[in-house]
Amino acid sequence: MRKIALMGRSEAGKTTLTQALKGEKIAYHKTQYVNHFDVIIDTPGEYAQTKWLGHALAMFTYEADVVGLLLSSTEPFTLFPPGCTAACNREVVGIVTKIHHPYANVRRAEGWLRLAGCRKIFFVDSKTGEGVTDILEYLREPGDVMPWERVISKPVNPT
């Protein structure tokens, strides 16, 4: 699979999405440092929210095939300026999270990600799993076998 680096402000849902993509039980966990997994790089929100740490995010794009900009549908603002994806050296996709939250404004979040330069947008509810398989399929490379496609062979009965 292609590797994705997840970026966005604190509480955008990066770690929850990471858990969902890995098929783990969803549990709140504050990301304190950059976590590298097989095909996911989970970055702390402070990196996107702080000018001096923001430069480090550019370095992590070198380790990924795709950059995922996360924006919660509950946010009243965005950190991503118009056209910011043009400066990235990798493919950038947008990911709108918390799509079923009572205060969700999914279209506003989608608009901000499109303004930032994201052409492909995913809509995700990590807690229900909605949209998670769409991201996994997008990251899939030829020859990859997804966990739900694995055939479990039954033992042959010799009688």
Side-chain angles (χ1 to χ4, degrees), residues 43-144:
T43 63
E46 289 79 8
Y47 278 52
Q49 293 170 231
T50 307
K51 179 181 178 182
W52 305 113
L53 294 174
H55 300 292
L57 288 177
M59 301 309 292
F60 290 107
T61 65
Y62 286 104
E63 299 177 32
D65 301 304
V66 178
V67 174
L69 298 184
L70 271 77
L71 186 60
S72 168
S73 64
T74 63
E75 291 297 329
F77 63 90
T78 181
L79 294 177
F80 306 122
C84 68
T85 62
C88 191
N89 62 349
R90 298 289 186 264
E91 176 184 2
V92 182
V93 297
I95 303 171
V96 177
T97 61
K98 304 178 187 180
I99 60 172
H100 295 305
H101 191 281
Y103 300 114
N105 188 335
V106 175
R107 294 298 156 222
R108 178 178 61 197
E110 176 188 12
W112 283 333
L113 288 170
R114 291 207 184 279
L115 190 60
C118 298
R119 292 187 180 132
K120 178 74 176 164
I121 309 280
F122 295 95
F123 302 92
V124 176
D125 184 328
S126 297
K127 292 182 179 177
T128 67
E130 185 175 339
V132 173
T133 55
D134 296 335
I135 296 171
L136 290 170
E137 286 291 341
Y138 189 76
L139 297 174
R140 181 183 204 163
E141 292 182 301
D144 286 344

